[in-house]
Amino acid sequence: MLDERWIKSLHVESMRRGDLHAEREPHVLFQASTIGALLDGAFDGDLSFAELAEHGDLGLGTLNRLDGEMIALDGEFLRADVEGRVHPIAAEAKTPFAVVTRFEPTIDARIEGSLGHAELLARLDQLVPAGASSCAVRLDGTFELVRARSVPAQRPPYRPLTEVVAEQNVFELRDVVGTMLGFRFPAYVEGIEVAGYHLHFVSEDRSRGGHVLDSRAAEGLRARLDPSDDLHIELPPAIDLADPDLAAATHEAIVRAEGG
Ligand SMILES: [Zn+2]
């Protein structure tokens, strides 16, 4: 379902912790570790949320020990626990996987009609300019339904993410006002990132949230998009982009862990 115009170069730059610098440029995506490492059970990262905040104000991910779903919005870092209840994240807490950007949307549109999830994503595809490889997404408004999940904190020795996700807690929010946010990545970064859309949700009152599995938007959603062609990745010491384990992070495993 990837359109040809997505198959363009996403410039991926990896760096080690010592080389980290705060991102001042707009339209740059910053990522801590890789989805492949997370699939492998690397649930403890070395990057604090204070450090992550230097690289962006909008994004998603998780926390060390896979302690729920992370939502970053307007510079606020929030955790949806296994029940989908939302809590602030302490600056010294750390993440094993996160993607953030300094959100500066170049597209601001109103979505007409009440759309199911697949229709909504197809509509977003149409809004993305031709040639943009990746995109940060923010959707504000009323959702008739948000089907979301979160996961319980794990204890070492950690199991692969696909096993943990088998114990995920799925819940439904009805007629909820809030923000759905995240990213769209092209298929060729699978293993580093989740290909396609990866979206998290948080309610306007900051009480409920999680990793989005399905939704139905009410009329008049506001969609803001920030296309990007630059992805900077902070690789933990044990993780390498050329790691065969990353190549083993197959499409199927990612779909099982992150899909609907
Ligand atoms: Zn997620």
Side-chain angles (χ1 to χ4, degrees), residues 111-115 120 140-145 175-176 215-222:
I111 307 275
E112 304 297 339
S114 166
L115 303 183
L120 176 62
D140 291 277
T142 303
F143 292 83
E144 291 170 13
L145 166 74
D175 300 316
V176 62
S215 75
R216 174 162 286 278
E219 167 70 28
L221 213 57
R222 182 182 184 187

Side-chain angles (χ1 to χ4, degrees), residues 69 198 200 211 258:
E69 306 284 350
H198 183 185
H200 285 191
H211 168 106
E258 301 296 327

